[in-house]
Amino acid sequence: MARKDDDQKVTVVEQGVYPVPDIPIKDLLDSIPAHCFKRSALRSSLYIFWDAFVIYSLYKATVYLDALIDPAVITLPNPYLYTAASFSLWAIYGFWAGLFATGLWVIGHECGHQAFSESKTINNTVGWIVHSALGVPYHSWRITHAKHHASTGHMTQDQVFVPATRSQLGLPVFDPNREDILGSRVTEEVKKELWEALGDSPIGAVLSPASYLIGGWPAYIAMNASGQPKYPKGTNHFTPSAVMFAPHHYGQVVMSVVGILIWLAAVGVTIYYKGFFDVFRVYLVPYLWVNHWLVLITFLQHTDPLLPHYRAPEFTFARGALATLDRNLLGDLGSVMGWLGAHATNGISETHVLHHISSKIPHYHAWEASTALKKKLASAGIPIEGAPGGWSEMIRVFRECKFVEDDGDVIFFKNAFGLAKMRPVLPESAASDSGIEVDTKA
């Protein structure tokens, strides 16, 4: 809620309070039932078969129904309606096939966390196959994703969705006489300056997230887009000598590239024999949907005006893990769509905070584990439940999360007027050691 002081031409906003957690990671893990940590290759495999079966069934049903869209079978008032009906049918197939293919991607992601099986060999073999089939360099991304988990919300160590700072965006230098560093008070003059630099038109507010959803995933993998800004230009997931890889990762990165080359060759050969149009509507459209869902889900898990980011002095593993949100994917479209979104994507959006507390818990145990964890966190007042994940939420978050300040050890996003929704309150005791070392000089 904002109010204006007309005499001084100042906008003041009433902020929410974020109690910076000081909970040892052991306490959080102890709140989770022991059986939730058990992994079964057989049970995990059933979800691969189920997702693949649903996608195949969608394909067969679409082919069958498409054959009925024919003047010999059905009469439509205009010949163009046959094309429109066929296009709509395949568009529906692409949407749902892409959603369940995202579920397959989640299984590959669990393999990277060693959550698929007790066997590292099984995990990496299955993960390499599943992720390569979806155009993901398995080991390369597994390595950087592990770094993301170790340093979630860390301004200089996190790997992706790192907020841009005031200076990085070339905004006017912070002036304590005209604005509050925490974003609770801003003069009209500063608001105007910031809006002129950052403000979105209604069209821009839609197009920016749309372009991000369409090209964000390949741009991150190939060019480090939205990744850690300290990495040199040209950083990507295909170069074994890239800064985020250690020398012993060389063979794993090469193996990841081999997987991508096989994938590209398979797509190319299929196009040669089946034609581009068939491959496009059967595989490439769902593939683009997978990329879209990956960006939407992960962006909304880690980006919101409610969530803090940390600099080294106040960062711990537990704080970073709790600087994320659970969201019901497609829940903004109603309870049925919310259930379908969660089921198709194996709950990756709905149990994400738990996933950051312990990434080795398989998704079929994550629901129970997440419920237990939330009981533990309920009394701490830490927001971990975000609004349902969808396109409207993507637009809202894009508009409200513009930049963070260059100073401060616990910081929150400010909007295009320089106002923030939250302010941190640090515990009186010292930060809890997480057991995860973060080299801030790296």
Side-chain angles (χ1 to χ4, degrees), residues 69-70 88 122 143 149 205 215 270 326 352 383 390 417:
I69 305 174
D70 186 282
S88 299
I122 292 176
I143 293 164
H149 269 257
T270 308
D326 290 343
H352 189 70
F417 292 122

Side-chain angles (χ1 to χ4, degrees), residues 69 71 76-88:
I69 305 174
L76 297 176
N78 189 297
Y80 291 109
L81 290 178
Y82 293 98
T83 301
S86 180
F87 177 86
S88 299

Side-chain angles (χ1 to χ4, degrees), residues 28-44:
L28 298 175
L29 292 173
D30 286 347
S31 70
I32 301 169
H35 67 267
C36 291
F37 295 91
K38 294 181 179 179
R39 300 161 289 172
S40 166
L42 175 61
R43 185 170 180 180
S44 297

